Structure formats: structure tokens, C-alpha cells
Amino acid sequence: MPNPTAAMLVIGDEILSGRTRDANMHFLSGELTKTGIDLQEVRIVSDKTSAIVDAVNALRADYDTVITSGGIGPTHDDITADAIAAAFGVSIDVRDDARALLQAHYDRQGSELNTARLRMARIPDGATLIDNPVSVAPGFTLGNVHVMAGVPSVFQAMVASVLPALTGGAPLLSQTLRIQRGEGDIAGPLGELAQEFDDLQIGSYPYQKDGVYGANIVIRGSDSARLNAAMTKLSGLFPA
Amino acid sequence: MPNPTAAMLVIGDEILSGRTRDANMHFLSGELTKTGIDLQEVRIVSDKTSAIVDAVNALRADYDTVITSGGIGPTHDDITADAIAAAFGVSIDVRDDARALLQAHYDRQGSELNTARLRMARIPDGATLIDNPVSVAPGFTLGNVHVMAGVPSVFQAMVASVLPALTGGAPLLSQTLRIQRGEGDIAGPLGELAQEFDDLQIGSYPYQKDGVYGANIVIRGSDSARLNAAMTKLSGLFPA
């Protein structure tokens, strides 16, 4: 049985402008791979309602699970919750349980739950909350879409909250062989190996460092015996 | 007049699996911002023909320029050139000028232009070549789609080859103010500022470090006088 599939949607003007380098995608891809869920697509869109709506609707139709990051804070550019509600065609308003979480948090801090902060209690109809042990303001799950914060520490905590509920397949294992020869020298035998082991994914990731060409050959699959067999054959083809 | 728009398509199993952290997107976003071209969307898809074809066709219809990275090497998993040809509905074959470039290069190196390497001379009908001063094997431009290598040093060289031909708008300028207060405390006045300066983009990027909450407020626009005016007002609202 093929592994469940996932897509990620990053709502991130700051990444598209080059100001920030994404960290959440890299974290999530590693976690999903360990869980046996295939991350098959990532989209990064800007803070525009239409861009978010279109991307969410395309991805939730195509993949088993969608995880979004960013845009659920209290400022004017935090429009993700409203966009998700629009994508699903449901209404959205401040919800009592989310408001209670925030009220208790700001009471403890001695801060005011002002209008801006109350935006973070806006939850689309029918969603369930995602626990946020870092900064309280919750994410939410609607259908197969999990909506999380963009701040990496909060995003990671929310992934940890959701991941156990996602049923993964067998974890994807990988082995890597670094070959210090140009891809053009190894491509022929490598292609034959990929045909022989067509139940595995064999990828060639070239590098060039100080004028020396090489490639990391990564073999992925969930059957460790097959993985070992392919790696043994690969090492034999290209002895160090 | 609004700035020209761009999208990037990363063909990258190795990024989706979490093995590699993307570098090309971060580089390209910075270069495009300097040039006055708005990078509005990035998609990362796996090494599957249908995924590449669908993404290229969606992006080239929606944006002025599309830049792809990855999948144009000599190995079995390098399928980008064929996928681009399929997306445009044109044929693809080894082209004489590309073959001549490779032949001269491998002659100089004393290597053989074998079948695998010859794959890198497969160019879709009607494309123009993109110069690759690093490792010779060319990228290509077809319509508004620029197809480049995934190895960062080669990708960067190809971007440098193409960028002067892309007509940008006024470079996007930005100024940042770091405010050591939670977003919830600043969101109200910030939203009003964003309304007053609605010709600028004002983004709030929260952070949380050692339990302290803050936000970087980034103001972007191409009119430096307006930018200065907004930043002056912002600094007045939230004195350090």
C-alpha cells in the first residue's frame, strides 16, 4: 500500500522577498519522512486571500493531508484563518474555547486580551483546535487541513501536537553513497540499477566543490533488506 | 505600473524528503527583489513528469516569468527537459549547438561524451540556450520559462546569465524596525499605519527568543520618500 501523501502551504511574504530563509519546510519534511508520510508538494504564496484560497483548495483535493504555516497572529497581515474559512465556504468568528485559552494566558501575564489578540481566537466553523504549548494561541484543523503558526518554535510544537494523529505508512528509510565522480560517468550503470530496483527510489544529487564534481546517490524505500541489496550493488559498481 | 511578476518551480525530491535544505529559492528571491521583480509563488514538486507538467503550465499562465531549478543533469531522475517539452507540447531531441558545447568541454577534459552526458544536450524545440559558465551543460528558455540546474553554483551562474534580459520595475526597497513587544501589543496601531500607507507593504514577522516576544516590522515599497515617512511614523509609535 502506498504511503499517505502530504503537501505543505507556506504563507510567507518574508520568504518570497528573500528576507527570511524558510526553516519550517525543512523541519516538516524531516518529520513526515520519519513518520512514513510522503511530502509530495510545497507551495509558498504571499499574504493574499485569493492566493491562499486557491492553493489550499488545490492541495486539499490532491493530497491526503495539508499543513499550512504562517499568518495566524494578531496583526493586519495575518489573514490565513479567514482565507481557510473562505476556501471551505464556512463562516468564521471568535470562538469561546479559543477565547478562554487566550484570556487565561493574558490574565496570567497581566496583559490585556485586546482586539488585535482576539483575532487569534477567530476559528472557522467546524474546526478543531491544535494545542500550542509555546504561546497558547491555537492552530486548527479543518477537514484534512492543519493550520499552524509560522514562528518556528510554535510551528514545531504544533506539528508535534498533530503528528501522532496522522496515520503514516512504514517509515521511509534511506542510505546514501557519496561518489566522487561526475554524474555523466555514473549515469549509465545507475540508470540500470534504478530499473532493477524499481521498488526503490534512487536519486542522484550532484555537487561541485572546489572544481571537483561528485554526486550523492540516495536510495529510499521502506524495505531495509531491499535497500541493503541495492546499496551493496551500488558500492560494487563504484568502488571508492 | 505594478512590477513584473515571477514564480519559481523547484524540482526536488531531495528537498521534499528533508535531506537537503533549499538554497536556490533563497538566492533567487533576493536577486529578483533587487531587480524589481515580484516573486509571488514558489512550488516544490517531486521528480515526476505529471507533477512538473502541471506546475509549469499553471505557473507560466499566471506569472510573467517562471524560473525552474533542478533535474537537467545526465542521470535517470533528470526529467525536467522532457517534462517542459511535454508541458509546451513541443518535441525534444539532442540539439547540435548544445552537443557541440558539451563535446568541446569533454574533449578538453579528456572525458567521453557518452550517452548519459548527451542527455544534457536534449533541448525542446524552439528554446534558446542559457549559458553555463560553471559546468557548460546549458539551461534553456522556452516562452517565459527559464530552465536551470539545481546545483547552487550552476543555478546562480544561470540566474546571472538570464537576469539582465528580464525587465524589472523599480527595485523594491525595504526598511526594518525590530520591536521588542508582542505582536498583540502593536497590532492595533500597526494596522492603522498600514491603512494610512496603503501604497506600501507592511509586514509583521514575529519572533520568540528565550521567552521574549517581539516582531520585525518590514516596510517595502519602491518610493524611498514614502518609505522614510512610514518608518518615521512607525518609530514614533513604538519608541525603543
Side-chain angles (χ1 to χ4, degrees), chain A residues 21-22 42 44 76 202, chain B residues 21-22 42 44 76 117 202:
Chain A
R21 196 171 164 184
D22 168 78
V42 176
I44 308 174
H76 65 282
I202 302 186
Chain B
R21 197 172 162 182
D22 167 79
V42 176
I44 308 175
H76 64 281
R117 290 187 170 121
I202 303 186

Side-chain angles (χ1 to χ4, degrees), chain B residues 6-235:
Chain B
M8 180 181 191
L9 176 63
V10 179
I11 291 114
D13 272 359
E14 74 276 29
I15 292 165
L16 292 173
S17 74
R19 195 185 154 273
T20 300
R21 197 172 162 182
D22 167 79
N24 292 336
M25 185 195 339
H26 186 60
F27 173 80
L28 181 66
S29 56
E31 292 299 297
L32 291 177
T33 296
K34 279 189 269 176
T35 313
I37 295 173
D38 285 351
L39 180 63
Q40 296 200 341
E41 183 168 348
V42 176
R43 294 193 191 182
I44 308 175
V45 299
S46 60
D47 306 341
K48 276 188 207 150
T49 300
S50 61
I52 301 171
V53 168
D54 290 351
V56 163
N57 280 337
L59 296 175
R60 72 189 175 100
D62 282 353
Y63 302 100
D64 297 328
T65 296
V66 177
I67 291 175
T68 80
S69 82
I72 61 168
T75 59
H76 64 281
D77 55 345
D78 289 307
I79 58 169
T80 300
D82 284 78
I84 299 289
F88 279 82
V90 301
S91 61
I92 178 169
D93 208 341
V94 170
R95 209 166 81 178
D96 288 344
D97 54 352
R99 180 211 293 261
L101 287 170
L102 293 170
Q103 187 73 62
H105 174 63
Y106 291 112
D107 284 352
R108 275 193 305 273
Q109 287 203 332
S111 311
E112 186 205 350
L113 179 54
N114 58 20
T115 312
R117 290 187 170 121
L118 206 52
R119 270 176 73 84
M120 297 189 287
R122 288 174 67 77
I123 304 291
D125 245 29
T128 55
L129 302 186
I130 298 176
D131 185 36
N132 169 4
V134 175
S135 54
V136 177
F140 60 85
T141 297
L142 186 58
N144 61 342
V145 179
H146 306 277
V147 176
M148 305 185 183
V151 175
S153 58
V154 182
F155 179 78
Q156 292 172 21
M158 288 184 175
V159 169
S161 299
V162 163
L163 217 51
L166 300 178
T167 310
L172 204 60
L173 309 171
S174 72
Q175 293 190 29
T176 300
L177 184 69
R178 189 176 179 89
I179 300 178
Q180 200 147 309
R181 294 170 65 180
E183 277 194 305
D185 284 327
I186 61 177
L190 191 65
E192 288 163 23
L193 187 76
Q195 283 192 336
E196 181 183 342
F197 290 89
D198 63 357
D199 54 324
L200 306 175
Q201 298 160 251
I202 303 186
S204 173
Y205 306 116
Y207 63 84
Q208 193 256 110
K209 207 182 168 186
D210 306 328
V212 177
Y213 290 85
N216 288 299
I217 309 303
V218 180
I219 307 184
R220 298 190 188 89
S222 41
D223 180 335
S224 63
R226 289 285 289 165
L227 222 61
N228 287 336
M231 187 51 80
T232 301
K233 189 142 191 184
L234 178 66
S235 311

